[in-house]
């Protein structure tokens, strides 16, 4: 689940099944932040950040989850 808030904020929520497969919301957010110019963090199931170029953030998110 990815939610976009007002402005340039982003929240990533990873369910238990995806976590069991090795997906980590904090790691995904770090990849998105590095590419899209924002800041963020988290761990395990939940991460949040802001200040992104949203077009770049969504492209980075697709790449991080591929």
């Amino acid at each position: 689940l990815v939610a976009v808030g007002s402005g340039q904020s982003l929240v990533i929520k990873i369910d238990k099944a995806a976590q069991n497969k090795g997906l980590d919301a904090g790691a995904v957010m770090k990849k998105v932040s590095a590419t899209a110019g924002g800041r963020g963090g988290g761990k395990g199931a939940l991460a949040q950040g802001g200040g992104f170029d949203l077009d770049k953030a969504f492209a980075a998110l697709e790449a991080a989850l591929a």
Side-chain angles (χ1 to χ4, degrees):
L1 168 68
V2 175
V4 178
S6 63
Q8 301 161 328
S9 61
L10 187 64
V11 175
I12 299 172
K13 170 77 170 99
I14 306 289
D15 69 9
K16 285 285 186 188
Q19 287 180 31
N20 291 339
K21 293 179 181 179
L23 200 55
D24 179 272
V28 172
M29 183 61 77
K30 284 182 184 181
K31 289 179 183 179
V32 171
S33 297
T35 303
R39 292 182 57 190
K43 60 182 179 180
L46 185 66
Q48 60 185 4
F52 301 106
D53 174 325
L54 289 179
D55 291 331
K56 289 181 182 178
F58 285 120
L61 183 60
E62 287 179 7
L65 297 176

